[in-house]
Amino acid sequence: MKLLSIIIPSYNEEKNIPNTTRGLAEMLNKENIEYELIYISDGSKDETYEAILEENAKDPRVKGAQFSRNFGKEASIFAGLELACGDGCIIMDCDLQHPPEVIPEMYALWQEGYEIVEGIKNSRGKESLFHKMFANTFYGIMSKLMKMDMKSSSDFKLIDRKVVDVINSLPEHNKFLRGLFSWTGFKQTAYEYERKERFAGTIS
Ligand code: UDP
Ligand code: MG
């Protein structure tokens, strides 16, 4: 059976760790998906890492690491990719804005042979008009530069071990994550999800 690693960058998420762990465990157990959760505390100023250790004491499938300072979400994701043992990895936020209930469908697309299953935000999600305008402009320019459509892409995705190995082998320290997965050239599909409200805590 395949092992799925779920990589969760976490900055000041002490209130979300127990709830996210419980929600993911219930859903993955129900679906009979073998998994490990990898939380990276990105130099959190609260008790995020202690919360991860508490979950690990209850269930060794919950793993984690912490950074000495805040390096940013992308660095946490890269660290998670290095630590993951899975045949595939999901990258998702800690605050349940990337809804765990769509994971079984993303998993099924992976089983069909897609090596990158990219989470695409549908337009119904609640983001401010300003955020949408900024994101549209920024990703519009980046899409032109990189010759890829990135306007509705997000960091929520499932990638096969082949993709993880390529990313881990790259020497760059300043990798621009969103374009990088498609750049590897593996077989890709999109999966549309509705972006939810943050469960607890405030945005960084
Ligand atoms: N995050 C991180 N390092 C940071 C900022 C955020 O690891 O410096 C994590 C955060 O804990 C969350 C995810 O990245 O799991 C997305 O962050 P947030 O919810 O603050 O941003 P959003 O994209 O929802 O505005
Ligand atoms: Mg969020």
Side-chain angles (χ1 to χ4, degrees), residues 8-13 40 42 70-73 76 92-95 97 131 195 198 202-204:
I8 311 167
S10 307
Y11 179 58
N12 296 344
E13 301 283 14
I40 308 291
D42 182 15
N70 181 244
F71 281 89
K73 178 179 178 180
S76 319
M92 67 187 290
D93 289 355
C94 194
D95 54 12
Q97 290 197 279
H131 180 92
R195 189 175 149 92
R198 164 175 270 278
T202 47
I203 55 164
S204 39

mmCIF file with all atom_site columns, all heavy atoms in Angstrom, residues 8-13 40 42 70-73 76 92-95 97 131 195 198 202-204, ligand 1:
data_model
loop_
_atom_site.group_PDB
_atom_site.id
_atom_site.type_symbol
_atom_site.label_atom_id
_atom_site.label_alt_id
_atom_site.label_comp_id
_atom_site.label_asym_id
_atom_site.label_entity_id
_atom_site.label_seq_id
_atom_site.pdbx_PDB_ins_code
_atom_site.Cartn_x
_atom_site.Cartn_y
_atom_site.Cartn_z
_atom_site.occupancy
_atom_site.B_iso_or_equiv
_atom_site.pdbx_formal_charge
_atom_site.auth_seq_id
_atom_site.auth_comp_id
_atom_site.auth_asym_id
_atom_site.auth_atom_id
_atom_site.pdbx_PDB_model_num
ATOM   1   N N   . ILE A 1 8   ? 2.709   20.087 6.246  1.00 0.00 ? 8   ILE A N   1
ATOM   2   C CA  . ILE A 1 8   ? 1.890   21.196 6.725  1.00 0.00 ? 8   ILE A CA  1
ATOM   3   C C   . ILE A 1 8   ? 2.776   22.293 7.315  1.00 0.00 ? 8   ILE A C   1
ATOM   4   O O   . ILE A 1 8   ? 3.235   22.192 8.461  1.00 0.00 ? 8   ILE A O   1
ATOM   5   C CB  . ILE A 1 8   ? 0.875   20.693 7.783  1.00 0.00 ? 8   ILE A CB  1
ATOM   6   C CG1 . ILE A 1 8   ? 0.148   19.445 7.243  1.00 0.00 ? 8   ILE A CG1 1
ATOM   7   C CG2 . ILE A 1 8   ? -0.114  21.795 8.160  1.00 0.00 ? 8   ILE A CG2 1
ATOM   8   C CD1 . ILE A 1 8   ? -0.634  18.672 8.278  1.00 0.00 ? 8   ILE A CD1 1
ATOM   9   N N   . PRO A 1 9   ? 3.082   23.340 6.527  1.00 0.00 ? 9   PRO A N   1
ATOM   10  C CA  . PRO A 1 9   ? 3.869   24.453 7.067  1.00 0.00 ? 9   PRO A CA  1
ATOM   11  C C   . PRO A 1 9   ? 3.041   25.156 8.144  1.00 0.00 ? 9   PRO A C   1
ATOM   12  O O   . PRO A 1 9   ? 1.850   25.402 7.936  1.00 0.00 ? 9   PRO A O   1
ATOM   13  C CB  . PRO A 1 9   ? 4.078   25.365 5.854  1.00 0.00 ? 9   PRO A CB  1
ATOM   14  C CG  . PRO A 1 9   ? 2.966   25.039 4.917  1.00 0.00 ? 9   PRO A CG  1
ATOM   15  C CD  . PRO A 1 9   ? 2.624   23.584 5.157  1.00 0.00 ? 9   PRO A CD  1
ATOM   16  N N   . SER A 1 10  ? 3.659   25.472 9.275  1.00 0.00 ? 10  SER A N   1
ATOM   17  C CA  . SER A 1 10  ? 2.869   25.959 10.410 1.00 0.00 ? 10  SER A CA  1
ATOM   18  C C   . SER A 1 10  ? 3.586   27.098 11.137 1.00 0.00 ? 10  SER A C   1
ATOM   19  O O   . SER A 1 10  ? 4.630   26.886 11.754 1.00 0.00 ? 10  SER A O   1
ATOM   20  C CB  . SER A 1 10  ? 2.635   24.815 11.403 1.00 0.00 ? 10  SER A CB  1
ATOM   21  O OG  . SER A 1 10  ? 2.094   23.694 10.742 1.00 0.00 ? 10  SER A OG  1
ATOM   22  N N   . TYR A 1 11  ? 2.998   28.256 11.046 1.00 0.00 ? 11  TYR A N   1
ATOM   23  C CA  . TYR A 1 11  ? 3.555   29.410 11.747 1.00 0.00 ? 11  TYR A CA  1
ATOM   24  C C   . TYR A 1 11  ? 2.515   29.922 12.739 1.00 0.00 ? 11  TYR A C   1
ATOM   25  O O   . TYR A 1 11  ? 1.442   30.381 12.328 1.00 0.00 ? 11  TYR A O   1
ATOM   26  C CB  . TYR A 1 11  ? 3.926   30.494 10.730 1.00 0.00 ? 11  TYR A CB  1
ATOM   27  C CG  . TYR A 1 11  ? 4.488   31.750 11.346 1.00 0.00 ? 11  TYR A CG  1
ATOM   28  C CD1 . TYR A 1 11  ? 5.626   31.689 12.151 1.00 0.00 ? 11  TYR A CD1 1
ATOM   29  C CD2 . TYR A 1 11  ? 3.902   32.984 11.126 1.00 0.00 ? 11  TYR A CD2 1
ATOM   30  C CE1 . TYR A 1 11  ? 6.147   32.832 12.723 1.00 0.00 ? 11  TYR A CE1 1
ATOM   31  C CE2 . TYR A 1 11  ? 4.420   34.136 11.687 1.00 0.00 ? 11  TYR A CE2 1
ATOM   32  C CZ  . TYR A 1 11  ? 5.541   34.053 12.486 1.00 0.00 ? 11  TYR A CZ  1
ATOM   33  O OH  . TYR A 1 11  ? 6.061   35.184 13.058 1.00 0.00 ? 11  TYR A OH  1
ATOM   34  N N   . ASN A 1 12  ? 2.815   29.829 14.015 1.00 0.00 ? 12  ASN A N   1
ATOM   35  C CA  . ASN A 1 12  ? 1.886   30.232 15.082 1.00 0.00 ? 12  ASN A CA  1
ATOM   36  C C   . ASN A 1 12  ? 0.521   29.567 14.938 1.00 0.00 ? 12  ASN A C   1
ATOM   37  O O   . ASN A 1 12  ? -0.507  30.219 14.861 1.00 0.00 ? 12  ASN A O   1
ATOM   38  C CB  . ASN A 1 12  ? 1.713   31.756 15.110 1.00 0.00 ? 12  ASN A CB  1
ATOM   39  C CG  . ASN A 1 12  ? 3.015   32.463 15.445 1.00 0.00 ? 12  ASN A CG  1
ATOM   40  O OD1 . ASN A 1 12  ? 3.957   31.830 15.943 1.00 0.00 ? 12  ASN A OD1 1
ATOM   41  N ND2 . ASN A 1 12  ? 3.082   33.746 15.175 1.00 0.00 ? 12  ASN A ND2 1
ATOM   42  N N   . GLU A 1 13  ? 0.536   28.264 14.911 1.00 0.00 ? 13  GLU A N   1
ATOM   43  C CA  . GLU A 1 13  ? -0.688  27.489 14.668 1.00 0.00 ? 13  GLU A CA  1
ATOM   44  C C   . GLU A 1 13  ? -1.035  26.598 15.863 1.00 0.00 ? 13  GLU A C   1
ATOM   45  O O   . GLU A 1 13  ? -1.666  25.553 15.694 1.00 0.00 ? 13  GLU A O   1
ATOM   46  C CB  . GLU A 1 13  ? -0.532  26.624 13.407 1.00 0.00 ? 13  GLU A CB  1
ATOM   47  C CG  . GLU A 1 13  ? -0.241  27.371 12.122 1.00 0.00 ? 13  GLU A CG  1
ATOM   48  C CD  . GLU A 1 13  ? -1.458  28.055 11.509 1.00 0.00 ? 13  GLU A CD  1
ATOM   49  O OE1 . GLU A 1 13  ? -2.483  28.192 12.196 1.00 0.00 ? 13  GLU A OE1 1
ATOM   50  O OE2 . GLU A 1 13  ? -1.354  28.455 10.339 1.00 0.00 ? 13  GLU A OE2 1
ATOM   51  N N   . ILE A 1 40  ? 5.881   21.420 9.959  1.00 0.00 ? 40  ILE A N   1
ATOM   52  C CA  . ILE A 1 40  ? 7.116   22.191 10.115 1.00 0.00 ? 40  ILE A CA  1
ATOM   53  C C   . ILE A 1 40  ? 6.745   23.496 10.817 1.00 0.00 ? 40  ILE A C   1
ATOM   54  O O   . ILE A 1 40  ? 6.033   24.327 10.250 1.00 0.00 ? 40  ILE A O   1
ATOM   55  C CB  . ILE A 1 40  ? 7.754   22.535 8.744  1.00 0.00 ? 40  ILE A CB  1
ATOM   56  C CG1 . ILE A 1 40  ? 7.929   21.290 7.859  1.00 0.00 ? 40  ILE A CG1 1
ATOM   57  C CG2 . ILE A 1 40  ? 9.073   23.278 8.946  1.00 0.00 ? 40  ILE A CG2 1
ATOM   58  C CD1 . ILE A 1 40  ? 8.953   20.288 8.319  1.00 0.00 ? 40  ILE A CD1 1
ATOM   59  N N   . ASP A 1 42  ? 7.534   26.964 11.613 1.00 0.00 ? 42  ASP A N   1
ATOM   60  C CA  . ASP A 1 42  ? 8.406   27.916 10.929 1.00 0.00 ? 42  ASP A CA  1
ATOM   61  C C   . ASP A 1 42  ? 8.813   29.052 11.880 1.00 0.00 ? 42  ASP A C   1
ATOM   62  O O   . ASP A 1 42  ? 8.425   30.198 11.693 1.00 0.00 ? 42  ASP A O   1
ATOM   63  C CB  . ASP A 1 42  ? 7.632   28.448 9.708  1.00 0.00 ? 42  ASP A CB  1
ATOM   64  C CG  . ASP A 1 42  ? 8.448   29.409 8.878  1.00 0.00 ? 42  ASP A CG  1
ATOM   65  O OD1 . ASP A 1 42  ? 9.681   29.462 9.057  1.00 0.00 ? 42  ASP A OD1 1
ATOM   66  O OD2 . ASP A 1 42  ? 7.842   30.102 8.039  1.00 0.00 ? 42  ASP A OD2 1
ATOM   67  N N   . ASN A 1 70  ? 11.779  32.378 11.735 1.00 0.00 ? 70  ASN A N   1
ATOM   68  C CA  . ASN A 1 70  ? 10.783  32.348 10.671 1.00 0.00 ? 70  ASN A CA  1
ATOM   69  C C   . ASN A 1 70  ? 11.462  32.480 9.309  1.00 0.00 ? 70  ASN A C   1
ATOM   70  O O   . ASN A 1 70  ? 12.091  33.498 9.009  1.00 0.00 ? 70  ASN A O   1
ATOM   71  C CB  . ASN A 1 70  ? 9.780   33.486 10.898 1.00 0.00 ? 70  ASN A CB  1
ATOM   72  C CG  . ASN A 1 70  ? 8.702   33.517 9.851  1.00 0.00 ? 70  ASN A CG  1
ATOM   73  O OD1 . ASN A 1 70  ? 8.598   34.465 9.093  1.00 0.00 ? 70  ASN A OD1 1
ATOM   74  N ND2 . ASN A 1 70  ? 7.905   32.486 9.781  1.00 0.00 ? 70  ASN A ND2 1
ATOM   75  N N   . PHE A 1 71  ? 11.381  31.421 8.500  1.00 0.00 ? 71  PHE A N   1
ATOM   76  C CA  . PHE A 1 71  ? 12.006  31.452 7.173  1.00 0.00 ? 71  PHE A CA  1
ATOM   77  C C   . PHE A 1 71  ? 10.976  31.642 6.062  1.00 0.00 ? 71  PHE A C   1
ATOM   78  O O   . PHE A 1 71  ? 11.330  31.810 4.912  1.00 0.00 ? 71  PHE A O   1
ATOM   79  C CB  . PHE A 1 71  ? 12.760  30.147 6.909  1.00 0.00 ? 71  PHE A CB  1
ATOM   80  C CG  . PHE A 1 71  ? 14.099  30.067 7.582  1.00 0.00 ? 71  PHE A CG  1
ATOM   81  C CD1 . PHE A 1 71  ? 14.222  29.562 8.866  1.00 0.00 ? 71  PHE A CD1 1
ATOM   82  C CD2 . PHE A 1 71  ? 15.254  30.504 6.933  1.00 0.00 ? 71  PHE A CD2 1
ATOM   83  C CE1 . PHE A 1 71  ? 15.461  29.486 9.495  1.00 0.00 ? 71  PHE A CE1 1
ATOM   84  C CE2 . PHE A 1 71  ? 16.497  30.431 7.545  1.00 0.00 ? 71  PHE A CE2 1
ATOM   85  C CZ  . PHE A 1 71  ? 16.600  29.924 8.837  1.00 0.00 ? 71  PHE A CZ  1
ATOM   86  N N   . GLY A 1 72  ? 9.691   31.529 6.382  1.00 0.00 ? 72  GLY A N   1
ATOM   87  C CA  . GLY A 1 72  ? 8.638   31.667 5.358  1.00 0.00 ? 72  GLY A CA  1
ATOM   88  C C   . GLY A 1 72  ? 8.093   30.314 4.947  1.00 0.00 ? 72  GLY A C   1
ATOM   89  O O   . GLY A 1 72  ? 8.752   29.280 5.053  1.00 0.00 ? 72  GLY A O   1
ATOM   90  N N   . LYS A 1 73  ? 6.869   30.385 4.448  1.00 0.00 ? 73  LYS A N   1
ATOM   91  C CA  . LYS A 1 73  ? 6.128   29.169 4.115  1.00 0.00 ? 73  LYS A CA  1
ATOM   92  C C   . LYS A 1 73  ? 6.854   28.255 3.115  1.00 0.00 ? 73  LYS A C   1
ATOM   93  O O   . LYS A 1 73  ? 6.872   27.041 3.264  1.00 0.00 ? 73  LYS A O   1
ATOM   94  C CB  . LYS A 1 73  ? 4.769   29.601 3.549  1.00 0.00 ? 73  LYS A CB  1
ATOM   95  C CG  . LYS A 1 73  ? 3.885   28.483 3.116  1.00 0.00 ? 73  LYS A CG  1
ATOM   96  C CD  . LYS A 1 73  ? 2.556   29.012 2.584  1.00 0.00 ? 73  LYS A CD  1
ATOM   97  C CE  . LYS A 1 73  ? 1.716   27.861 2.101  1.00 0.00 ? 73  LYS A CE  1
ATOM   98  N NZ  . LYS A 1 73  ? 0.407   28.279 1.579  1.00 0.00 ? 73  LYS A NZ  1
ATOM   99  N N   . SER A 1 76  ? 9.484   26.160 4.650  1.00 0.00 ? 76  SER A N   1
ATOM   100 C CA  . SER A 1 76  ? 8.889   25.068 5.440  1.00 0.00 ? 76  SER A CA  1
ATOM   101 C C   . SER A 1 76  ? 8.475   23.928 4.521  1.00 0.00 ? 76  SER A C   1
ATOM   102 O O   . SER A 1 76  ? 8.644   22.759 4.856  1.00 0.00 ? 76  SER A O   1
ATOM   103 C CB  . SER A 1 76  ? 7.638   25.532 6.188  1.00 0.00 ? 76  SER A CB  1
ATOM   104 O OG  . SER A 1 76  ? 7.794   26.793 6.725  1.00 0.00 ? 76  SER A OG  1
ATOM   105 N N   . MET A 1 92  ? -0.349  21.158 2.262  1.00 0.00 ? 92  MET A N   1
ATOM   106 C CA  . MET A 1 92  ? -1.571  21.906 2.600  1.00 0.00 ? 92  MET A CA  1
ATOM   107 C C   . MET A 1 92  ? -1.355  22.812 3.809  1.00 0.00 ? 92  MET A C   1
ATOM   108 O O   . MET A 1 92  ? -0.444  22.613 4.594  1.00 0.00 ? 92  MET A O   1
ATOM   109 C CB  . MET A 1 92  ? -2.741  20.952 2.853  1.00 0.00 ? 92  MET A CB  1
ATOM   110 C CG  . MET A 1 92  ? -2.601  20.079 4.071  1.00 0.00 ? 92  MET A CG  1
ATOM   111 S SD  . MET A 1 92  ? -3.946  18.859 4.168  1.00 0.00 ? 92  MET A SD  1
ATOM   112 C CE  . MET A 1 92  ? -5.319  19.942 4.544  1.00 0.00 ? 92  MET A CE  1
ATOM   113 N N   . ASP A 1 93  ? -2.217  23.830 3.929  1.00 0.00 ? 93  ASP A N   1
ATOM   114 C CA  . ASP A 1 93  ? -2.128  24.763 5.047  1.00 0.00 ? 93  ASP A CA  1
ATOM   115 C C   . ASP A 1 93  ? -2.653  24.125 6.330  1.00 0.00 ? 93  ASP A C   1
ATOM   116 O O   . ASP A 1 93  ? -3.433  23.178 6.300  1.00 0.00 ? 93  ASP A O   1
ATOM   117 C CB  . ASP A 1 93  ? -2.939  26.033 4.753  1.00 0.00 ? 93  ASP A CB  1
ATOM   118 C CG  . ASP A 1 93  ? -2.284  26.903 3.684  1.00 0.00 ? 93  ASP A CG  1
ATOM   119 O OD1 . ASP A 1 93  ? -1.169  26.570 3.242  1.00 0.00 ? 93  ASP A OD1 1
ATOM   120 O OD2 . ASP A 1 93  ? -2.913  27.913 3.296  1.00 0.00 ? 93  ASP A OD2 1
ATOM   121 N N   . CYS A 1 94  ? -2.242  24.718 7.444  1.00 0.00 ? 94  CYS A N   1
ATOM   122 C CA  . CYS A 1 94  ? -2.589  24.184 8.758  1.00 0.00 ? 94  CYS A CA  1
ATOM   123 C C   . CYS A 1 94  ? -3.982  24.622 9.219  1.00 0.00 ? 94  CYS A C   1
ATOM   124 O O   . CYS A 1 94  ? -4.551  24.060 10.143 1.00 0.00 ? 94  CYS A O   1
ATOM   125 C CB  . CYS A 1 94  ? -1.549  24.682 9.750  1.00 0.00 ? 94  CYS A CB  1
ATOM   126 S SG  . CYS A 1 94  ? -1.566  23.829 11.300 1.00 0.00 ? 94  CYS A SG  1
ATOM   127 N N   . ASP A 1 95  ? -4.535  25.648 8.560  1.00 0.00 ? 95  ASP A N   1
ATOM   128 C CA  . ASP A 1 95  ? -5.744  26.292 9.098  1.00 0.00 ? 95  ASP A CA  1
ATOM   129 C C   . ASP A 1 95  ? -7.040  25.786 8.471  1.00 0.00 ? 95  ASP A C   1
ATOM   130 O O   . ASP A 1 95  ? -8.091  26.401 8.631  1.00 0.00 ? 95  ASP A O   1
ATOM   131 C CB  . ASP A 1 95  ? -5.632  27.811 8.915  1.00 0.00 ? 95  ASP A CB  1
ATOM   132 C CG  . ASP A 1 95  ? -5.354  28.204 7.465  1.00 0.00 ? 95  ASP A CG  1
ATOM   133 O OD1 . ASP A 1 95  ? -5.476  27.347 6.577  1.00 0.00 ? 95  ASP A OD1 1
ATOM   134 O OD2 . ASP A 1 95  ? -5.012  29.378 7.234  1.00 0.00 ? 95  ASP A OD2 1
ATOM   135 N N   . GLN A 1 97  ? -7.954  25.917 5.474  1.00 0.00 ? 97  GLN A N   1
ATOM   136 C CA  . GLN A 1 97  ? -8.440  26.666 4.304  1.00 0.00 ? 97  GLN A CA  1
ATOM   137 C C   . GLN A 1 97  ? -8.324  25.812 3.042  1.00 0.00 ? 97  GLN A C   1
ATOM   138 O O   . GLN A 1 97  ? -9.009  26.071 2.060  1.00 0.00 ? 97  GLN A O   1
ATOM   139 C CB  . GLN A 1 97  ? -7.663  27.971 4.159  1.00 0.00 ? 97  GLN A CB  1
ATOM   140 C CG  . GLN A 1 97  ? -8.026  28.950 5.264  1.00 0.00 ? 97  GLN A CG  1
ATOM   141 C CD  . GLN A 1 97  ? -7.612  30.355 4.933  1.00 0.00 ? 97  GLN A CD  1
ATOM   142 O OE1 . GLN A 1 97  ? -6.448  30.711 5.115  1.00 0.00 ? 97  GLN A OE1 1
ATOM   143 N NE2 . GLN A 1 97  ? -8.531  31.152 4.441  1.00 0.00 ? 97  GLN A NE2 1
ATOM   144 N N   . HIS A 1 131 ? -7.391  41.586 -2.531 1.00 0.00 ? 131 HIS A N   1
ATOM   145 C CA  . HIS A 1 131 ? -6.508  40.419 -2.628 1.00 0.00 ? 131 HIS A CA  1
ATOM   146 C C   . HIS A 1 131 ? -6.640  39.781 -4.010 1.00 0.00 ? 131 HIS A C   1
ATOM   147 O O   . HIS A 1 131 ? -5.653  39.434 -4.648 1.00 0.00 ? 131 HIS A O   1
ATOM   148 C CB  . HIS A 1 131 ? -6.853  39.401 -1.538 1.00 0.00 ? 131 HIS A CB  1
ATOM   149 C CG  . HIS A 1 131 ? -5.985  38.175 -1.592 1.00 0.00 ? 131 HIS A CG  1
ATOM   150 N ND1 . HIS A 1 131 ? -4.814  38.067 -0.874 1.00 0.00 ? 131 HIS A ND1 1
ATOM   151 C CD2 . HIS A 1 131 ? -6.080  37.032 -2.325 1.00 0.00 ? 131 HIS A CD2 1
ATOM   152 C CE1 . HIS A 1 131 ? -4.246  36.904 -1.150 1.00 0.00 ? 131 HIS A CE1 1
ATOM   153 N NE2 . HIS A 1 131 ? -5.003  36.254 -2.025 1.00 0.00 ? 131 HIS A NE2 1
ATOM   154 N N   . ARG A 1 195 ? -12.000 27.393 -1.287 1.00 0.00 ? 195 ARG A N   1
ATOM   155 C CA  . ARG A 1 195 ? -11.153 27.842 -0.180 1.00 0.00 ? 195 ARG A CA  1
ATOM   156 C C   . ARG A 1 195 ? -12.021 28.253 1.003  1.00 0.00 ? 195 ARG A C   1
ATOM   157 O O   . ARG A 1 195 ? -12.912 29.084 0.883  1.00 0.00 ? 195 ARG A O   1
ATOM   158 C CB  . ARG A 1 195 ? -10.318 29.026 -0.657 1.00 0.00 ? 195 ARG A CB  1
ATOM   159 C CG  . ARG A 1 195 ? -9.260  29.460 0.305  1.00 0.00 ? 195 ARG A CG  1
ATOM   160 C CD  . ARG A 1 195 ? -8.440  30.562 -0.356 1.00 0.00 ? 195 ARG A CD  1
ATOM   161 N NE  . ARG A 1 195 ? -7.937  31.486 0.625  1.00 0.00 ? 195 ARG A NE  1
ATOM   162 C CZ  . ARG A 1 195 ? -6.757  31.364 1.204  1.00 0.00 ? 195 ARG A CZ  1
ATOM   163 N NH1 . ARG A 1 195 ? -5.984  30.349 0.899  1.00 0.00 ? 195 ARG A NH1 1
ATOM   164 N NH2 . ARG A 1 195 ? -6.357  32.259 2.079  1.00 0.00 ? 195 ARG A NH2 1
ATOM   165 N N   . ARG A 1 198 ? -10.231 30.477 7.578  1.00 0.00 ? 198 ARG A N   1
ATOM   166 C CA  . ARG A 1 198 ? -9.228  29.958 8.518  1.00 0.00 ? 198 ARG A CA  1
ATOM   167 C C   . ARG A 1 198 ? -9.935  29.438 9.766  1.00 0.00 ? 198 ARG A C   1
ATOM   168 O O   . ARG A 1 198 ? -10.848 30.073 10.274 1.00 0.00 ? 198 ARG A O   1
ATOM   169 C CB  . ARG A 1 198 ? -8.259  31.099 8.833  1.00 0.00 ? 198 ARG A CB  1
ATOM   170 C CG  . ARG A 1 198 ? -7.399  30.917 10.036 1.00 0.00 ? 198 ARG A CG  1
ATOM   171 C CD  . ARG A 1 198 ? -6.421  32.066 10.151 1.00 0.00 ? 198 ARG A CD  1
ATOM   172 N NE  . ARG A 1 198 ? -5.183  31.761 9.429  1.00 0.00 ? 198 ARG A NE  1
ATOM   173 C CZ  . ARG A 1 198 ? -4.212  31.011 9.961  1.00 0.00 ? 198 ARG A CZ  1
ATOM   174 N NH1 . ARG A 1 198 ? -4.318  30.512 11.158 1.00 0.00 ? 198 ARG A NH1 1
ATOM   175 N NH2 . ARG A 1 198 ? -3.121  30.757 9.267  1.00 0.00 ? 198 ARG A NH2 1
ATOM   176 N N   . THR A 1 202 ? -4.863  33.996 13.598 1.00 0.00 ? 202 THR A N   1
ATOM   177 C CA  . THR A 1 202 ? -4.979  35.110 12.666 1.00 0.00 ? 202 THR A CA  1
ATOM   178 C C   . THR A 1 202 ? -3.971  34.939 11.545 1.00 0.00 ? 202 THR A C   1
ATOM   179 O O   . THR A 1 202 ? -2.982  34.238 11.716 1.00 0.00 ? 202 THR A O   1
ATOM   180 C CB  . THR A 1 202 ? -4.665  36.453 13.375 1.00 0.00 ? 202 THR A CB  1
ATOM   181 O OG1 . THR A 1 202 ? -3.463  36.269 14.117 1.00 0.00 ? 202 THR A OG1 1
ATOM   182 C CG2 . THR A 1 202 ? -5.791  36.869 14.279 1.00 0.00 ? 202 THR A CG2 1
ATOM   183 N N   . ILE A 1 203 ? -4.238  35.596 10.428 1.00 0.00 ? 203 ILE A N   1
ATOM   184 C CA  . ILE A 1 203 ? -3.297  35.453 9.318  1.00 0.00 ? 203 ILE A CA  1
ATOM   185 C C   . ILE A 1 203 ? -2.000  36.168 9.643  1.00 0.00 ? 203 ILE A C   1
ATOM   186 O O   . ILE A 1 203 ? -1.979  37.156 10.369 1.00 0.00 ? 203 ILE A O   1
ATOM   187 C CB  . ILE A 1 203 ? -3.862  35.940 7.961  1.00 0.00 ? 203 ILE A CB  1
ATOM   188 C CG1 . ILE A 1 203 ? -4.344  37.388 8.049  1.00 0.00 ? 203 ILE A CG1 1
ATOM   189 C CG2 . ILE A 1 203 ? -4.950  35.046 7.481  1.00 0.00 ? 203 ILE A CG2 1
ATOM   190 C CD1 . ILE A 1 203 ? -4.532  38.015 6.685  1.00 0.00 ? 203 ILE A CD1 1
ATOM   191 N N   . SER A 1 204 ? -0.910  35.627 9.138  1.00 0.00 ? 204 SER A N   1
ATOM   192 C CA  . SER A 1 204 ? 0.414   36.154 9.490  1.00 0.00 ? 204 SER A CA  1
ATOM   193 C C   . SER A 1 204 ? 0.717   37.392 8.670  1.00 0.00 ? 204 SER A C   1
ATOM   194 O O   . SER A 1 204 ? 0.164   37.625 7.623  1.00 0.00 ? 204 SER A O   1
ATOM   195 C CB  . SER A 1 204 ? 1.455   35.095 9.236  1.00 0.00 ? 204 SER A CB  1
ATOM   196 O OG  . SER A 1 204 ? 1.180   34.377 8.066  1.00 0.00 ? 204 SER A OG  1
HETATM 197 N N1  . UDP B 2 .   ? 3.068   29.831 7.200  1.00 0.00 ? 1   UDP B N1  1
HETATM 198 C C1  . UDP B 2 .   ? 4.399   29.471 7.409  1.00 0.00 ? 1   UDP B C1  1
HETATM 199 N N2  . UDP B 2 .   ? 5.332   30.477 7.530  1.00 0.00 ? 1   UDP B N2  1
HETATM 200 C C2  . UDP B 2 .   ? 5.010   31.795 7.454  1.00 0.00 ? 1   UDP B C2  1
HETATM 201 C C3  . UDP B 2 .   ? 3.660   32.147 7.207  1.00 0.00 ? 1   UDP B C3  1
HETATM 202 C C4  . UDP B 2 .   ? 2.729   31.140 7.077  1.00 0.00 ? 1   UDP B C4  1
HETATM 203 O O1  . UDP B 2 .   ? 4.725   28.294 7.502  1.00 0.00 ? 1   UDP B O1  1
HETATM 204 O O2  . UDP B 2 .   ? 5.909   32.635 7.586  1.00 0.00 ? 1   UDP B O2  1
HETATM 205 C C5  . UDP B 2 .   ? 2.037   28.786 7.075  1.00 0.00 ? 1   UDP B C5  1
HETATM 206 C C6  . UDP B 2 .   ? 0.789   28.990 7.935  1.00 0.00 ? 1   UDP B C6  1
HETATM 207 O O3  . UDP B 2 .   ? 0.949   28.446 9.229  1.00 0.00 ? 1   UDP B O3  1
HETATM 208 C C7  . UDP B 2 .   ? -0.281  28.276 7.132  1.00 0.00 ? 1   UDP B C7  1
HETATM 209 C C8  . UDP B 2 .   ? 0.163   28.529 5.690  1.00 0.00 ? 1   UDP B C8  1
HETATM 210 O O4  . UDP B 2 .   ? 1.568   28.807 5.741  1.00 0.00 ? 1   UDP B O4  1
HETATM 211 O O5  . UDP B 2 .   ? -0.320  26.884 7.376  1.00 0.00 ? 1   UDP B O5  1
HETATM 212 C C9  . UDP B 2 .   ? -0.594  29.681 5.031  1.00 0.00 ? 1   UDP B C9  1
HETATM 213 O O6  . UDP B 2 .   ? -0.469  30.827 5.857  1.00 0.00 ? 1   UDP B O6  1
HETATM 214 P P1  . UDP B 2 .   ? -1.677  31.813 6.159  1.00 0.00 ? 1   UDP B P1  1
HETATM 215 O O7  . UDP B 2 .   ? -2.887  31.019 6.534  1.00 0.00 ? 1   UDP B O7  1
HETATM 216 O O8  . UDP B 2 .   ? -1.181  32.809 7.162  1.00 0.00 ? 1   UDP B O8  1
HETATM 217 O O9  . UDP B 2 .   ? -1.842  32.556 4.771  1.00 0.00 ? 1   UDP B O9  1
HETATM 218 P P2  . UDP B 2 .   ? -3.018  32.636 3.712  1.00 0.00 ? 1   UDP B P2  1
HETATM 219 O O10 . UDP B 2 .   ? -2.426  32.055 2.460  1.00 0.00 ? 1   UDP B O10 1
HETATM 220 O O11 . UDP B 2 .   ? -4.192  31.856 4.209  1.00 0.00 ? 1   UDP B O11 1
HETATM 221 O O12 . UDP B 2 .   ? -3.296  34.076 3.602  1.00 0.00 ? 1   UDP B O12 1
#
